[in-house]
Amino acid sequence: MKALVFQGPGEVAWQNAPDPAVQDATDAIVRVDAVTLCGTDLHIVKGHVPDVEPGRILGHEAVGTVVETGADVRTVRPGDRVLISCVSSCGRCRFCRERRYGQCRGGGGWVLGHLVDGTQAEYVRVPFADLSVHPLSNAVDSFDAVLLADIFPTAYEVGVLNGRVRPGDTVVVVGAGPVGLAAILTAHLYSPGRIIAVDLAASRLEAASRMGADAVVAADDGPEELVAELTGGLGADVVMEAVGAPETFEMCTRMVRPGGRVANIGVHGRPVALHLEDLWIKDVTITTGLVDTCSTPMLLSMMTAGRLPTADLVTHRFALGQMEEAYDVFGRASETGAIKVALGGPRHTELTATPLHAGASS
């Protein structure tokens, strides 16, 4: 098969790779029909995630068709169309029993495209398939559904839920990339008083306005002053960091009110200063987190019912074989205007399931 292989910092290639095979009885082999790129993938390519070794196939978000299953898989079978979660769950360890799948200690957690080969390929092996894929209705488009593999549950769980957004709150989202925009969309579920979006790119601020931000401001145009003005000098109730940079995290801690919440969503590759000399007296709560994807079934139900708008997030579409071009466009988002880049082949209505290996079991 073809796959996007990490060669080392700054180098990836779409190249031949071994076909995946069932290794454990709980595995499923899935043909990738739609896949997307994540900001975390860019961090990996830059060398910010040292656990990812050269030779690893990248990617942790996809929609596909099951072509083979291990003997112990019960909830899906060959021919089923599924959403692949960015987080895998063993279902047995302490954290999985608490629905904290991102912290799985039984071989799951964020492993795809990180510790095992990922989804930016023609086929992928998904461990713990019963708990790590979600059957998809034909009513849901693949390029919409793939947004529920990571960015929507991440924004909702790590941003909105950790930030405890409440009715009437002033919410600031720093970083209007895909996750930041999904945070704006899902924060509306809790009727905040206002949402303010901060970013450097005008195209992303325009997207934030379209998706429900009440005010937008460039990161170099006085966002702290705007928040102070709109809150009577108090500060925001909830500030979400969706960039992953020291400067933006420190900005967030300066914009939050006493007793407020800072929800860090961004992936950080460098040390960040925590100014406790200023924060210790303010009763501020700071949360971090890796997505658990426990909200995925609920979000998928909302999408199926047409109550989770997603179409504007995918700005660029490519064929699966155009992976390197897609990385280039996504990596230069400030120039290209890319928000979310998606790749895929024929629509699901045209797909047929062909077993990858002879003797596939169900």
Side-chain angles (χ1 to χ4, degrees):
M1 69 172 184
K2 293 286 190 178
L4 196 283
V5 180
F6 176 62
Q7 311 282 6
E11 295 184 34
V12 291
W14 180 253
Q15 64 183 57
N16 291 326
D19 290 341
V22 169
Q23 297 178 17
D24 299 302
T26 55
D27 290 347
I29 306 300
V30 179
R31 187 183 67 218
V32 174
D33 300 329
V35 67
T36 185
L37 312 185
C38 178
T40 303
D41 296 323
L42 297 182
H43 281 282
I44 292 171
V45 174
K46 292 175 183 176
H48 294 169
V49 187
D51 288 342
V52 180
E53 300 176 347
R56 177 70 63 222
I57 296 171
L58 298 186
H60 51 267
E61 308 164 83
V63 166
T65 303
V66 177
V67 296
E68 185 177 357
T69 58
D72 290 347
V73 176
R74 295 289 180 265
T75 61
V76 294
R77 60 185 181 180
D80 285 351
R81 183 168 170 262
V82 294
L83 168 69
I84 300 172
S85 174
C86 66
V87 165
S88 303
S89 167
C90 79
R92 299 184 301 271
C93 72
R94 167 184 173 175
F95 293 108
C96 286
R97 289 176 179 272
E98 296 174 355
R99 300 181 73 225
R100 298 178 63 188
Y101 309 131
Q103 303 303 320
C104 175
R105 291 298 184 267
W110 172 41
V111 293
L112 289 172
H114 178 207
L115 304 179
V116 304
D117 286 337
T119 59
Q120 290 169 9
E122 293 177 323
Y123 294 88
V124 59
R125 179 182 73 91
V126 181
F128 308 114
D130 279 336
L131 295 170
S132 305
V133 301
H134 302 271
L136 281 180
S137 161
N138 283 339
V140 181
D141 183 83
S142 294
F143 283 164
D144 288 339
V146 76
L147 301 177
L148 299 190
D150 185 352
I151 67 165
F152 266 90
T154 294
Y156 180 65
E157 295 173 19
V158 186
V160 176
L161 294 186
N162 279 1
R164 303 200 311 274
V165 175
R166 301 167 180 164
D169 276 353
T170 292
V171 176
V172 179
V173 178
V174 178
V179 171
L181 294 173
I184 292 170
L185 287 165
T186 52
H188 275 291
L189 299 174
Y190 293 87
S191 301
R194 64 168 69 90
I195 298 177
I196 303 163
V198 181
D199 202 283
L200 279 170
S203 60
R204 293 193 165 187
L205 292 177
E206 292 169 6
S209 293
R210 292 196 307 271
M211 295 180 196
D214 301 286
V216 299
V217 58
D220 56 1
D221 194 25
E224 295 172 51
E225 291 78 5
L226 176 63
V227 171
E229 179 184 343
L230 292 176
T231 61
L234 188 63
D237 301 288
V238 182
V239 186
M240 303 182 201
E241 203 281 352
V243 178
E247 301 80 9
T248 50
F249 178 82
E250 292 178 39
M251 177 194 296
C252 290
T253 62
R254 292 192 297 268
M255 290 194 291
V256 67
R257 67 163 172 82
R261 287 87 66 194
V262 176
N264 182 85
I265 312 173
V267 177
H268 290 267
R270 292 180 287 157
V272 179
L274 179 62
H275 291 287
L276 286 177
E277 72 277 12
D278 298 323
L279 295 171
W280 74 270
I281 202 171
K282 293 180 67 177
D283 296 343
V284 170
T285 297
I286 298 174
T287 61
T288 66
L290 174 65
V291 64
D292 294 312
T293 66
C294 57
S295 67
T296 302
M298 179 272 288
L299 294 170
L300 184 55
S301 293
M302 292 183 63
M303 177 178 284
T304 303
R307 298 186 181 277
L308 191 67
T310 60
D312 288 344
L313 285 172
V314 176
T315 55
H316 294 72
R317 300 186 179 195
F318 297 90
L320 195 59
Q322 296 176 290
M323 192 70 69
E324 292 175 344
E325 182 181 349
Y327 261 85
D328 176 64
V329 169
F330 190 53
R332 295 185 298 108
S334 60
E335 303 169 37
T336 63
I339 295 175
K340 196 67 171 170
V341 169
L343 304 92
R347 293 297 190 189
H348 62 267
T349 52
E350 302 169 21
L351 293 176
T352 57
T354 303
L356 185 62
H357 302 284
S361 57
S362 60

